[in-house]
Amino acid sequence: MLPLQEYISIFIHQTDLTLTNYIKSKLAPFQLAPEQNLIMMLLWEKDGLNQNEIAEKLKKDKTNIARMVYNLEQKGFIHRVVGEHDRRSLRVFLTDEGKKLGEQVIPIAEEFNRLVCKGITEEELIELRRILTKMSSNME
Amino acid sequence: MLPLQEYISIFIHQTDLTLTNYIKSKLAPFQLAPEQNLIMMLLWEKDGLNQNEIAEKLKKDKTNIARMVYNLEQKGFIHRVVGEHDRRSLRVFLTDEGKKLGEQVIPIAEEFNRLVCKGITEEELIELRRILTKMSSNME
DNA sequence: GTCTAATAGTTGCTATAACAACAAAATAAC
DNA sequence: GTTATTTTGTTGTTATAGCAACTATTAGAC
């Protein structure tokens, strides 16, 4: 029986949790969770996306996006508007508070990425992506 | 502003989800979730571990271990016994059903690991672990 | 032996993830 | 125009994750 430490998927999972917990602690003072922040980052880049677009861009389930967007609205960072041309869809717009948040949070996210990659060369990052991509495609 | 696809942490997270979802679908017919299966795998290796030991070996929060163990007990795969020498602790033992499950599930888990690593050399796996380890240590 | 500090497990809470089912709106087919 | 199909977002459910708070038990200090 293969020992657990031989499962590379477990190792990847633990790494993911470690990275996520770090950025989680850095975003907590802003009332933002890591995944919520991904939505904010999309909106800081392009305001007014509908929920479906957000789900597609983030490769996430629309259910989860809807819930996260709802929570962000509750926090006052965004508000949702029924689409003009399609009354089924909801467009998501930043509030003033949400816009201002970007000035503080974007530098934190970028610093996080630099820290993750510290001491790792560009070639190593490319190799990492190549291997992980191969693993994902092995799942098809 | 750095585009989202430049964040290696997001890429790792998505890979983790892809791998996890695959094994999740393979374990579903056995009423087992991936993380629950890790507990089972420990017990198939060594029956009678207490919850704290399981949490330590899996590097997981004891709260979550307690909940997962509870669910496995509800499913009839394990039962918990108060420790003889320490009445605070609960030792986790496989039921007959839980033991038999291993015959079917262990091969699936090992096949999963082989599939994940298909077309990836041992050297590449070592490199992957080295880079991910560096990233995790960057978080300290 | 008595009192204090630490420990094992539980309850509570918030967040993400994925799938099913459903209603309303839009699109496609005829 | 009418009907069938597809799409967008919501509700429900189950699972993992992490932190706080708490209780009962054990270990350590004196």
mmCIF file of all heavy atoms in Angstrom, chain B residues 78-114:
data_model
loop_
_atom_site.group_PDB
_atom_site.id
_atom_site.type_symbol
_atom_site.label_atom_id
_atom_site.label_comp_id
_atom_site.label_asym_id
_atom_site.label_seq_id
_atom_site.Cartn_x
_atom_site.Cartn_y
_atom_site.Cartn_z
ATOM 1 N N ILE B 78 -16.204 2.969 10.561
ATOM 2 C CA ILE B 78 -15.363 2.950 11.754
ATOM 3 C C ILE B 78 -16.243 3.050 12.994
ATOM 4 O O ILE B 78 -17.398 3.435 12.931
ATOM 5 C CB ILE B 78 -14.334 4.121 11.768
ATOM 6 C CG1 ILE B 78 -15.055 5.476 11.725
ATOM 7 C CG2 ILE B 78 -13.369 4.000 10.599
ATOM 8 C CD1 ILE B 78 -15.047 6.199 13.033
ATOM 9 N N HIS B 79 -15.643 2.694 14.157
ATOM 10 C CA HIS B 79 -16.304 3.036 15.410
ATOM 11 C C HIS B 79 -15.259 3.576 16.373
ATOM 12 O O HIS B 79 -14.074 3.255 16.269
ATOM 13 C CB HIS B 79 -17.077 1.850 15.994
ATOM 14 C CG HIS B 79 -16.237 0.695 16.391
ATOM 15 N ND1 HIS B 79 -15.756 -0.238 15.496
ATOM 16 C CD2 HIS B 79 -15.771 0.308 17.603
ATOM 17 C CE1 HIS B 79 -15.050 -1.141 16.133
ATOM 18 N NE2 HIS B 79 -15.035 -0.836 17.406
ATOM 19 N N ARG B 80 -15.685 4.411 17.261
ATOM 20 C CA ARG B 80 -14.771 5.081 18.176
ATOM 21 C C ARG B 80 -14.880 4.510 19.573
ATOM 22 O O ARG B 80 -15.994 4.231 20.051
ATOM 23 C CB ARG B 80 -15.065 6.588 18.223
ATOM 24 C CG ARG B 80 -14.732 7.275 16.919
ATOM 25 C CD ARG B 80 -15.003 8.759 16.981
ATOM 26 N NE ARG B 80 -16.422 9.086 17.001
ATOM 27 C CZ ARG B 80 -16.899 10.303 17.088
ATOM 28 N NH1 ARG B 80 -16.061 11.310 17.176
ATOM 29 N NH2 ARG B 80 -18.199 10.506 17.100
ATOM 30 N N VAL B 81 -13.761 4.345 20.219
ATOM 31 C CA VAL B 81 -13.699 3.769 21.562
ATOM 32 C C VAL B 81 -12.909 4.709 22.475
ATOM 33 O O VAL B 81 -11.829 5.170 22.092
ATOM 34 C CB VAL B 81 -13.007 2.384 21.513
ATOM 35 C CG1 VAL B 81 -12.917 1.789 22.902
ATOM 36 C CG2 VAL B 81 -13.728 1.463 20.537
ATOM 37 N N VAL B 82 -13.454 4.989 23.636
ATOM 38 C CA VAL B 82 -12.719 5.815 24.594
ATOM 39 C C VAL B 82 -11.406 5.120 24.955
ATOM 40 O O VAL B 82 -11.381 3.914 25.206
ATOM 41 C CB VAL B 82 -13.558 6.041 25.873
ATOM 42 C CG1 VAL B 82 -12.745 6.807 26.906
ATOM 43 C CG2 VAL B 82 -14.833 6.796 25.546
ATOM 44 N N GLY B 83 -10.332 5.894 24.976
ATOM 45 C CA GLY B 83 -9.017 5.331 25.280
ATOM 46 C C GLY B 83 -8.949 4.714 26.664
ATOM 47 O O GLY B 83 -9.561 5.210 27.608
ATOM 48 N N GLU B 84 -8.175 3.629 26.751
ATOM 49 C CA GLU B 84 -8.059 2.931 28.045
ATOM 50 C C GLU B 84 -7.235 3.733 29.034
ATOM 51 O O GLU B 84 -7.545 3.790 30.216
ATOM 52 C CB GLU B 84 -7.364 1.571 27.833
ATOM 53 C CG GLU B 84 -8.186 0.583 27.028
ATOM 54 C CD GLU B 84 -7.347 -0.646 26.669
ATOM 55 O OE1 GLU B 84 -6.176 -0.707 27.126
ATOM 56 O OE2 GLU B 84 -7.860 -1.507 25.943
ATOM 57 N N HIS B 85 -6.171 4.347 28.533
ATOM 58 C CA HIS B 85 -5.236 5.015 29.441
ATOM 59 C C HIS B 85 -5.486 6.513 29.530
ATOM 60 O O HIS B 85 -4.910 7.181 30.377
ATOM 61 C CB HIS B 85 -3.799 4.750 28.996
ATOM 62 C CG HIS B 85 -3.490 3.288 28.880
ATOM 63 N ND1 HIS B 85 -3.502 2.448 29.971
ATOM 64 C CD2 HIS B 85 -3.207 2.514 27.805
ATOM 65 C CE1 HIS B 85 -3.217 1.216 29.581
ATOM 66 N NE2 HIS B 85 -3.046 1.230 28.269
ATOM 67 N N ASP B 86 -6.324 7.009 28.632
ATOM 68 C CA ASP B 86 -6.583 8.444 28.605
ATOM 69 C C ASP B 86 -8.032 8.629 28.192
ATOM 70 O O ASP B 86 -8.373 8.498 27.020
ATOM 71 C CB ASP B 86 -5.650 9.138 27.617
ATOM 72 C CG ASP B 86 -5.769 10.655 27.649
ATOM 73 O OD1 ASP B 86 -6.817 11.161 28.139
ATOM 74 O OD2 ASP B 86 -4.849 11.332 27.176
ATOM 75 N N ARG B 87 -8.868 8.935 29.169
ATOM 76 C CA ARG B 87 -10.302 8.974 28.891
ATOM 77 C C ARG B 87 -10.742 10.172 28.057
ATOM 78 O O ARG B 87 -11.889 10.291 27.660
ATOM 79 C CB ARG B 87 -11.094 8.889 30.200
ATOM 80 C CG ARG B 87 -10.722 7.647 30.981
ATOM 81 C CD ARG B 87 -11.896 6.907 31.465
ATOM 82 N NE ARG B 87 -12.959 7.694 32.032
ATOM 83 C CZ ARG B 87 -12.905 8.359 33.182
ATOM 84 N NH1 ARG B 87 -11.819 8.376 33.913
ATOM 85 N NH2 ARG B 87 -13.963 8.988 33.627
ATOM 86 N N ARG B 88 -9.824 11.070 27.783
ATOM 87 C CA ARG B 88 -10.148 12.177 26.892
ATOM 88 C C ARG B 88 -10.101 11.745 25.427
ATOM 89 O O ARG B 88 -10.735 12.340 24.570
ATOM 90 C CB ARG B 88 -9.134 13.321 27.048
ATOM 91 C CG ARG B 88 -9.126 13.978 28.389
ATOM 92 C CD ARG B 88 -7.977 14.943 28.467
ATOM 93 N NE ARG B 88 -6.704 14.291 28.153
ATOM 94 C CZ ARG B 88 -5.539 14.912 28.184
ATOM 95 N NH1 ARG B 88 -5.477 16.173 28.486
ATOM 96 N NH2 ARG B 88 -4.447 14.248 27.886
ATOM 97 N N SER B 89 -9.272 10.765 25.154
ATOM 98 C CA SER B 89 -9.034 10.475 23.744
ATOM 99 C C SER B 89 -9.957 9.376 23.232
ATOM 100 O O SER B 89 -10.437 8.528 23.981
ATOM 101 C CB SER B 89 -7.585 10.096 23.504
ATOM 102 O OG SER B 89 -7.373 8.751 23.808
ATOM 103 N N LEU B 90 -10.180 9.448 21.910
ATOM 104 C CA LEU B 90 -11.015 8.464 21.238
ATOM 105 C C LEU B 90 -10.178 7.696 20.224
ATOM 106 O O LEU B 90 -9.575 8.291 19.327
ATOM 107 C CB LEU B 90 -12.157 9.151 20.497
ATOM 108 C CG LEU B 90 -13.266 9.753 21.348
ATOM 109 C CD1 LEU B 90 -14.243 10.523 20.478
ATOM 110 C CD2 LEU B 90 -14.000 8.659 22.108
ATOM 111 N N ARG B 91 -10.135 6.382 20.391
ATOM 112 C CA ARG B 91 -9.415 5.569 19.419
ATOM 113 C C ARG B 91 -10.381 5.158 18.309
ATOM 114 O O ARG B 91 -11.539 4.817 18.563
ATOM 115 C CB ARG B 91 -8.804 4.349 20.102
ATOM 116 C CG ARG B 91 -7.772 4.741 21.156
ATOM 117 C CD ARG B 91 -7.101 3.535 21.718
ATOM 118 N NE ARG B 91 -6.276 2.836 20.715
ATOM 119 C CZ ARG B 91 -5.793 1.607 20.910
ATOM 120 N NH1 ARG B 91 -6.068 0.946 22.018
ATOM 121 N NH2 ARG B 91 -5.058 1.053 19.967
ATOM 122 N N VAL B 92 -9.893 5.181 17.095
ATOM 123 C CA VAL B 92 -10.736 4.949 15.928
ATOM 124 C C VAL B 92 -10.414 3.587 15.328
ATOM 125 O O VAL B 92 -9.278 3.343 14.919
ATOM 126 C CB VAL B 92 -10.527 6.060 14.881
ATOM 127 C CG1 VAL B 92 -11.473 5.890 13.711
ATOM 128 C CG2 VAL B 92 -10.712 7.435 15.511
ATOM 129 N N PHE B 93 -11.394 2.719 15.308
ATOM 130 C CA PHE B 93 -11.185 1.363 14.776
ATOM 131 C C PHE B 93 -12.066 1.111 13.563
ATOM 132 O O PHE B 93 -13.211 1.516 13.516
ATOM 133 C CB PHE B 93 -11.515 0.317 15.844
ATOM 134 C CG PHE B 93 -10.558 0.301 16.993
ATOM 135 C CD1 PHE B 93 -10.827 1.017 18.157
ATOM 136 C CD2 PHE B 93 -9.374 -0.418 16.906
ATOM 137 C CE1 PHE B 93 -9.923 1.010 19.213
ATOM 138 C CE2 PHE B 93 -8.478 -0.427 17.972
ATOM 139 C CZ PHE B 93 -8.749 0.285 19.127
ATOM 140 N N LEU B 94 -11.514 0.382 12.602
ATOM 141 C CA LEU B 94 -12.273 -0.027 11.429
ATOM 142 C C LEU B 94 -13.329 -1.049 11.817
ATOM 143 O O LEU B 94 -13.095 -1.921 12.647
ATOM 144 C CB LEU B 94 -11.346 -0.655 10.388
ATOM 145 C CG LEU B 94 -10.314 0.271 9.731
ATOM 146 C CD1 LEU B 94 -9.241 -0.563 9.035
ATOM 147 C CD2 LEU B 94 -10.997 1.190 8.740
ATOM 148 N N THR B 95 -14.498 -0.956 11.215
ATOM 149 C CA THR B 95 -15.475 -2.037 11.287
ATOM 150 C C THR B 95 -15.093 -3.074 10.224
ATOM 151 O O THR B 95 -14.210 -2.837 9.411
ATOM 152 C CB THR B 95 -16.890 -1.520 10.992
ATOM 153 O OG1 THR B 95 -16.898 -0.920 9.679
ATOM 154 C CG2 THR B 95 -17.317 -0.470 12.004
ATOM 155 N N ASP B 96 -15.785 -4.213 10.245
ATOM 156 C CA ASP B 96 -15.549 -5.209 9.195
ATOM 157 C C ASP B 96 -15.802 -4.596 7.820
ATOM 158 O O ASP B 96 -15.055 -4.817 6.869
ATOM 159 C CB ASP B 96 -16.444 -6.430 9.391
ATOM 160 C CG ASP B 96 -15.956 -7.300 10.543
ATOM 161 O OD1 ASP B 96 -14.769 -7.141 10.932
ATOM 162 O OD2 ASP B 96 -16.752 -8.094 11.063
ATOM 163 N N GLU B 97 -16.884 -3.810 7.751
ATOM 164 C CA GLU B 97 -17.204 -3.148 6.486
ATOM 165 C C GLU B 97 -16.078 -2.201 6.058
ATOM 166 O O GLU B 97 -15.701 -2.152 4.889
ATOM 167 C CB GLU B 97 -18.515 -2.376 6.644
ATOM 168 C CG GLU B 97 -19.097 -1.856 5.358
ATOM 169 C CD GLU B 97 -20.340 -1.016 5.598
ATOM 170 O OE1 GLU B 97 -20.764 -0.901 6.769
ATOM 171 O OE2 GLU B 97 -20.865 -0.472 4.624
ATOM 172 N N GLY B 98 -15.555 -1.496 7.038
ATOM 173 C CA GLY B 98 -14.469 -0.572 6.751
ATOM 174 C C GLY B 98 -13.225 -1.287 6.270
ATOM 175 O O GLY B 98 -12.517 -0.809 5.387
ATOM 176 N N LYS B 99 -12.957 -2.445 6.870
ATOM 177 C CA LYS B 99 -11.788 -3.218 6.451
ATOM 178 C C LYS B 99 -11.943 -3.705 5.021
ATOM 179 O O LYS B 99 -11.027 -3.610 4.202
ATOM 180 C CB LYS B 99 -11.573 -4.417 7.384
ATOM 181 C CG LYS B 99 -11.034 -4.036 8.748
ATOM 182 C CD LYS B 99 -11.032 -5.235 9.705
ATOM 183 C CE LYS B 99 -10.682 -4.795 11.112
ATOM 184 N NZ LYS B 99 -10.896 -5.884 12.096
ATOM 185 N N LYS B 100 -13.124 -4.243 4.728
ATOM 186 C CA LYS B 100 -13.363 -4.776 3.372
ATOM 187 C C LYS B 100 -13.280 -3.679 2.326
ATOM 188 O O LYS B 100 -12.871 -3.917 1.188
ATOM 189 C CB LYS B 100 -14.729 -5.456 3.316
ATOM 190 C CG LYS B 100 -14.682 -6.916 3.756
ATOM 191 C CD LYS B 100 -16.003 -7.606 3.548
ATOM 192 C CE LYS B 100 -17.080 -7.026 4.414
ATOM 193 N NZ LYS B 100 -18.308 -7.859 4.435
ATOM 194 N N LEU B 101 -13.676 -2.482 2.712
ATOM 195 C CA LEU B 101 -13.652 -1.348 1.788
ATOM 196 C C LEU B 101 -12.252 -1.123 1.225
ATOM 197 O O LEU B 101 -12.077 -0.762 0.066
ATOM 198 C CB LEU B 101 -14.141 -0.105 2.526
ATOM 199 C CG LEU B 101 -14.595 1.077 1.733
ATOM 200 C CD1 LEU B 101 -15.702 0.718 0.758
ATOM 201 C CD2 LEU B 101 -15.080 2.188 2.666
ATOM 202 N N GLY B 102 -11.272 -1.354 2.069
ATOM 203 C CA GLY B 102 -9.890 -1.127 1.653
ATOM 204 C C GLY B 102 -9.485 -1.923 0.429
ATOM 205 O O GLY B 102 -8.709 -1.451 -0.417
ATOM 206 N N GLU B 103 -10.003 -3.154 0.320
ATOM 207 C CA GLU B 103 -9.655 -4.001 -0.829
ATOM 208 C C GLU B 103 -10.056 -3.362 -2.143
ATOM 209 O O GLU B 103 -9.406 -3.549 -3.173
ATOM 210 C CB GLU B 103 -10.342 -5.360 -0.693
ATOM 211 C CG GLU B 103 -9.911 -6.121 0.563
ATOM 212 C CD GLU B 103 -10.816 -7.318 0.813
ATOM 213 O OE1 GLU B 103 -11.539 -7.712 -0.125
ATOM 214 O OE2 GLU B 103 -10.814 -7.837 1.950
ATOM 215 N N GLN B 104 -11.148 -2.611 -2.105
ATOM 216 C CA GLN B 104 -11.634 -1.980 -3.341
ATOM 217 C C GLN B 104 -11.037 -0.597 -3.542
ATOM 218 O O GLN B 104 -10.740 -0.201 -4.675
ATOM 219 C CB GLN B 104 -13.162 -1.839 -3.284
ATOM 220 C CG GLN B 104 -13.898 -3.153 -3.117
ATOM 221 C CD GLN B 104 -15.362 -2.917 -2.811
ATOM 222 O OE1 GLN B 104 -16.148 -2.679 -3.694
ATOM 223 N NE2 GLN B 104 -15.701 -2.959 -1.536
ATOM 224 N N VAL B 105 -10.865 0.112 -2.469
ATOM 225 C CA VAL B 105 -10.524 1.531 -2.580
ATOM 226 C C VAL B 105 -9.023 1.777 -2.744
ATOM 227 O O VAL B 105 -8.611 2.660 -3.492
ATOM 228 C CB VAL B 105 -11.066 2.312 -1.362
ATOM 229 C CG1 VAL B 105 -10.492 3.707 -1.299
ATOM 230 C CG2 VAL B 105 -12.583 2.362 -1.409
ATOM 231 N N ILE B 106 -8.209 0.988 -2.071
ATOM 232 C CA ILE B 106 -6.765 1.199 -2.175
ATOM 233 C C ILE B 106 -6.279 1.133 -3.624
ATOM 234 O O ILE B 106 -5.522 2.006 -4.072
ATOM 235 C CB ILE B 106 -6.002 0.211 -1.271
ATOM 236 C CG1 ILE B 106 -6.253 0.567 0.206
ATOM 237 C CG2 ILE B 106 -4.501 0.251 -1.554
ATOM 238 C CD1 ILE B 106 -5.671 -0.406 1.201
ATOM 239 N N PRO B 107 -6.693 0.121 -4.383
ATOM 240 C CA PRO B 107 -6.282 0.084 -5.800
ATOM 241 C C PRO B 107 -6.731 1.322 -6.586
ATOM 242 O O PRO B 107 -6.008 1.801 -7.468
ATOM 243 C CB PRO B 107 -6.974 -1.170 -6.342
ATOM 244 C CG PRO B 107 -7.218 -2.014 -5.155
ATOM 245 C CD PRO B 107 -7.464 -1.082 -4.015
ATOM 246 N N ILE B 108 -7.907 1.842 -6.259
ATOM 247 C CA ILE B 108 -8.394 3.035 -6.958
ATOM 248 C C ILE B 108 -7.519 4.245 -6.645
ATOM 249 O O ILE B 108 -7.175 5.021 -7.534
ATOM 250 C CB ILE B 108 -9.864 3.314 -6.551
ATOM 251 C CG1 ILE B 108 -10.762 2.215 -7.134
ATOM 252 C CG2 ILE B 108 -10.304 4.686 -7.005
ATOM 253 C CD1 ILE B 108 -12.199 2.290 -6.679
ATOM 254 N N ALA B 109 -7.161 4.390 -5.375
ATOM 255 C CA ALA B 109 -6.324 5.525 -4.983
ATOM 256 C C ALA B 109 -4.950 5.434 -5.653
ATOM 257 O O ALA B 109 -4.403 6.434 -6.122
ATOM 258 C CB ALA B 109 -6.171 5.564 -3.459
ATOM 259 N N GLU B 110 -4.414 4.220 -5.694
ATOM 260 C CA GLU B 110 -3.088 4.066 -6.280
ATOM 261 C C GLU B 110 -3.131 4.278 -7.796
ATOM 262 O O GLU B 110 -2.206 4.856 -8.377
ATOM 263 C CB GLU B 110 -2.519 2.693 -5.918
ATOM 264 C CG GLU B 110 -2.254 2.585 -4.410
ATOM 265 C CD GLU B 110 -1.652 1.249 -3.998
ATOM 266 O OE1 GLU B 110 -1.803 0.270 -4.754
ATOM 267 O OE2 GLU B 110 -1.062 1.197 -2.899
ATOM 268 N N GLU B 111 -4.194 3.825 -8.424
ATOM 269 C CA GLU B 111 -4.364 4.051 -9.857
ATOM 270 C C GLU B 111 -4.503 5.544 -10.136
ATOM 271 O O GLU B 111 -3.984 6.064 -11.128
ATOM 272 C CB GLU B 111 -5.590 3.291 -10.378
ATOM 273 C CG GLU B 111 -5.903 3.498 -11.842
ATOM 274 C CD GLU B 111 -4.736 3.175 -12.764
ATOM 275 O OE1 GLU B 111 -3.944 2.275 -12.432
ATOM 276 O OE2 GLU B 111 -4.599 3.857 -13.790
ATOM 277 N N PHE B 112 -5.208 6.234 -9.256
ATOM 278 C CA PHE B 112 -5.353 7.689 -9.378
ATOM 279 C C PHE B 112 -3.977 8.347 -9.368
ATOM 280 O O PHE B 112 -3.657 9.195 -10.215
ATOM 281 C CB PHE B 112 -6.212 8.227 -8.236
ATOM 282 C CG PHE B 112 -6.135 9.719 -8.026
ATOM 283 C CD1 PHE B 112 -6.613 10.603 -8.988
ATOM 284 C CD2 PHE B 112 -5.592 10.237 -6.860
ATOM 285 C CE1 PHE B 112 -6.545 11.975 -8.792
ATOM 286 C CE2 PHE B 112 -5.526 11.616 -6.657
ATOM 287 C CZ PHE B 112 -5.995 12.474 -7.628
ATOM 288 N N ASN B 113 -3.139 7.939 -8.425
ATOM 289 C CA ASN B 113 -1.814 8.557 -8.328
ATOM 290 C C ASN B 113 -0.978 8.298 -9.579
ATOM 291 O O ASN B 113 -0.263 9.171 -10.060
ATOM 292 C CB ASN B 113 -1.072 8.023 -7.097
ATOM 293 C CG ASN B 113 0.204 8.801 -6.813
ATOM 294 O OD1 ASN B 113 0.167 10.012 -6.615
ATOM 295 N ND2 ASN B 113 1.338 8.121 -6.848
ATOM 296 N N ARG B 114 -1.104 7.071 -10.097
ATOM 297 C CA ARG B 114 -0.382 6.751 -11.338
ATOM 298 C C ARG B 114 -0.875 7.618 -12.491
ATOM 299 O O ARG B 114 -0.070 8.099 -13.294
ATOM 300 C CB ARG B 114 -0.567 5.270 -11.691
ATOM 301 C CG ARG B 114 0.359 4.336 -10.935
ATOM 302 C CD ARG B 114 0.332 2.937 -11.534
ATOM 303 N NE ARG B 114 -0.941 2.263 -11.323
ATOM 304 C CZ ARG B 114 -1.256 1.554 -10.252
ATOM 305 N NH1 ARG B 114 -0.389 1.450 -9.255
ATOM 306 N NH2 ARG B 114 -2.436 0.958 -10.138
#
